[in-house]
């Protein structure tokens, strides 16, 4: 097994970890924003992009 194959065999774990951290981080950002008055989903979407 080459190093290149070893890197690609671990890619699903890396992608899962990055996506899981992104979801948790966005929930920590969106929950207070939603509770503090960003009730309009258009404004909330722009807030998330910012």
């Amino acid at each position: 097994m080459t190093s290149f194959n070893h890197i690609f065999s671990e890619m699903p774990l890396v992608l899962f970890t990055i996506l899981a951290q992104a979801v948790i981080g966005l929930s920590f950002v969106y929950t207070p924003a939603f509770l503090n008055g960003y009730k309009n989903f258009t404004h909330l979407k722009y807030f998330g992009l910012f």
Side-chain angles (χ1 to χ4, degrees):
M1 180 181 252
T2 64
S3 178
F4 193 68
N5 288 337
H6 185 66
I7 290 171
F8 276 117
S9 69
E10 298 297 329
M11 274 313 226
L13 179 62
V14 170
L15 290 175
F16 173 77
T17 304
I18 290 172
L19 289 175
Q21 289 176 353
V23 167
I24 291 170
L26 283 174
S27 68
F28 282 144
V29 169
Y30 273 119
T31 301
F34 185 76
L35 293 177
N36 288 332
Y38 281 95
K39 302 295 184 190
N40 189 349
F41 288 114
T42 305
H43 292 151
L44 194 61
K45 182 171 65 172
Y46 290 135
F47 176 76
L49 291 174
F50 175 69

